[in-house]
Amino acid sequence: MKKTVLKFGGSSLADSGQFKKVRDIILSEDGKTYVVVSAPGKRSPSDTKVTDMLYSAYDAASRGRNYSEILENIRRRYLEIVTALEISFDLDKEISEIAKRLETDPQVDYVVSRGEYLNARIFSAFLGFEFVEPAECVFFNADGTLNQDRTYSELNKKLENLDHAVIAGFYGAFEDGRIHTFSRGGSDISGSIAARAVNADVYENWTDVSGMLSADPRIVKNPKSIETISYRELRELSYMGASVMHEEAVFPVRAAGIPINIRNTNRPEDRGTWIVSHNSTAGSSAVTGIAGKKGFSTLLIEKAMMNNEVGFVAKLLNIFASRGVSVEHIPTGIDTITAVVDSDGFKRSKSEILDEIKEQLNPDTVIVESGLVLIAVVGVGMVYKKGVSATLFTALADADVNVRMIDQGSSEMNIIIAVDDSDYGKAVNAIYSAFFA
Ligand code: ASP
């Protein structure tokens, strides 16, 4: 029988109207359905997510301040849902339990996980599906990493005999039973883990957009959506700032080759974006997507006969590593090397780093420049196509953009360029027009 894991984000379950849409989506699915839910999100741009309200309640409690008004606002969010959907659910009892914990033993992960817990309990009552408590089947090691073996086996044991279930997203527990959460947006990871545990046919991730866009809509007007993308392309684009779900959510399903389908709860008729092992549509377009990340600096180091000095690069990287500065790229010349680094980290220990470079590497010159943005042009299709670079750099030259650095990833599926901050919008639009218009 077909097995589907459907994860619904906060905006998909923000109020009773959204609950009904989600019910209709689930009931139209065939086979076994396992639903992973987030806490109620924003109903409008100025609204507050329940998880943020829970963080505020915890914050107030831990400072000895009054949190009852925040808890009352949370209760009202759920009351609207329970009342409108005529669900029999003892909300007051649940809210008092949270209040009791805030009073006697406030633990942040427990408190903020209640958004998902309550939503899952209410949604399971609404659908008549079994509620699955993640504290009993999603396990973390003492260092906060997922205990994968135990989690997959326990989750599988719980779900294999159920045709339908609702699982709360975002949290699990340590071995000693204490609640622990993933980082923010972590219900995406819960969904991916559930899909892996049951070896689902597909992991549907339902949100409020019809898939992933080929460029940032704040920069490019109405960019096309991506129909199909490979896990690797997605990884490149999300690392560079394009976000459609939690960055870590891809790994559990990727390892098992389970496709992800990003869908829109408000437009269920849209096909959304398919994230798959191999992007077979890649041949039709060289570029799948464009993404950019601001806040980089470059250090150009010049030294005559650098190439003969064994260990030069290792020493340079060690200097950055010992100061906790992340090095993104290291394009090299014969007697030059450039380190492209994260500006914030670099600024914090700039003078120490420069002193160490002078002392340990004895360079002829070091030139520091900041205010750079990295743009990644990603597509497995470019591996087989000629002229992609020509198109890219002609477009940038025509738009009068000065390219400050070029790095073609060793996978050959991305070209990364650095441009000045002020050229960012111009560059992305030029690239978009060249490949998508
Ligand atoms: N509710 C949590 C958050 O707002 C987790 C999630 O929505 O995935 O971060």
Side-chain angles (χ1 to χ4, degrees), residues 3-63:
K3 282 181 262 175
T4 310
V5 169
L6 304 96
K7 181 260 163 179
F8 291 89
S11 61
S12 300
L13 291 163
D15 60 20
S16 59
Q18 293 298 89
F19 263 61
K20 286 184 193 160
K21 287 187 195 166
V22 170
R23 176 196 53 196
D24 293 348
I25 290 168
I26 293 165
L27 296 183
S28 70
E29 294 271 352
D30 303 324
K32 296 188 172 197
T33 46
Y34 306 110
V35 184
V36 175
V37 301
S38 289
K42 294 183 179 198
R43 293 159 295 183
S44 67
S46 58
D47 200 10
T48 310
K49 293 177 173 187
V50 164
T51 307
D52 288 321
M53 294 159 96
L54 288 162
Y55 272 107
S56 305
Y58 166 77
D59 202 49
S62 59
R63 288 162 196 260

Side-chain angles (χ1 to χ4, degrees), residues 19 45 90-91 157 229 247 254 334 344 359 385 408:
F19 263 61
D90 196 346
L91 181 60
K157 243 190 265 164
I229 184 169
E247 227 194 327
R254 176 180 174 164
I334 302 294
D344 285 344
E359 216 174 277
K385 270 215 163 93
Q408 174 161 33

Side-chain angles (χ1 to χ4, degrees), residues 268-338:
E269 63 283 7
D270 290 353
R271 179 187 180 273
T273 297
W274 280 87
I275 304 164
V276 297
S277 301
H278 299 288
N279 182 359
S280 54
T281 62
S284 56
S285 154
V287 175
T288 305
I290 307 161
K293 216 174 176 183
K294 289 188 171 185
F296 291 97
S297 300
T298 53
L299 273 92
L300 166 70
I301 298 166
E302 204 167 341
K303 184 175 185 186
M305 306 298 285
M306 175 193 290
N307 260 17
N308 291 347
E309 235 179 273
V310 176
F312 191 93
V313 182
K315 278 189 214 154
L316 176 65
L317 291 181
N318 260 329
I319 295 172
F320 288 113
S322 66
R323 303 275 165 191
V325 179
S326 139
V327 179
E328 299 288 315
H329 299 278
I330 37 169
T332 54
I334 302 294
D335 286 333
T336 59
I337 183 164
T338 297

